[in-house]
């Protein structure tokens, strides 16, 4: 349910704002872009990207998870 997801993301943001690290694993790129501070991508068990969310776009993430980019910053 959409309302429950919004409540969970609000709780996770509150926890993160208190200084606790929160790791979110999702295949929903828009959820990641809307709720994360950093994005780390993988393909076939290999890291393909590690970026501040302010410096990455949805198309970038698609490239990183399809292994067309194999560079880790």
């Amino acid at each position: 349910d959409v309302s429950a997801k919004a409540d969970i993301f609000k709780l996770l943001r509150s926890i993160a704002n208190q200084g606790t690290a929160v790791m979110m694993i999702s295949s929903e790129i828009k959820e990641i872009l809307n709720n994360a501070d950093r994005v780390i991508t993988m393909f076939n068990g290999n890291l393909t990207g590690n970026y501040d969310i302010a410096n990455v776009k949805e198309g970038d993430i698609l490239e990183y998870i399809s292994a067309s980019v194999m560079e880790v910053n």
Side-chain angles (χ1 to χ4, degrees):
D1 149 341
V2 174
S3 177
K5 264 188 170 181
D7 289 342
I8 291 168
F9 290 134
K10 185 177 177 180
L11 175 62
L12 292 175
R13 175 55 59 193
S14 174
I15 291 168
N17 287 342
Q18 294 174 20
T20 302
V22 175
M23 183 172 61
M24 182 174 120
I25 300 171
S26 178
S27 61
E28 300 292 329
I29 295 173
K30 288 188 192 307
E31 285 182 358
I32 295 168
L33 291 172
N34 291 329
N35 295 290
D37 297 321
R38 294 196 65 73
V39 59
I40 297 172
T41 55
M42 297 181 76
F43 180 80
N44 283 344
N46 297 306
L47 291 179
T48 56
N50 181 356
Y51 298 90
D52 185 288
I53 202 73
N55 299 322
V56 71
K57 295 178 177 45
E58 185 173 354
D60 299 330
I61 294 174
L62 290 171
E63 287 183 31
Y64 304 143
I65 63 175
S66 67
S68 58
V69 176
M70 291 296 290
E71 179 180 326
V72 177
N73 294 332

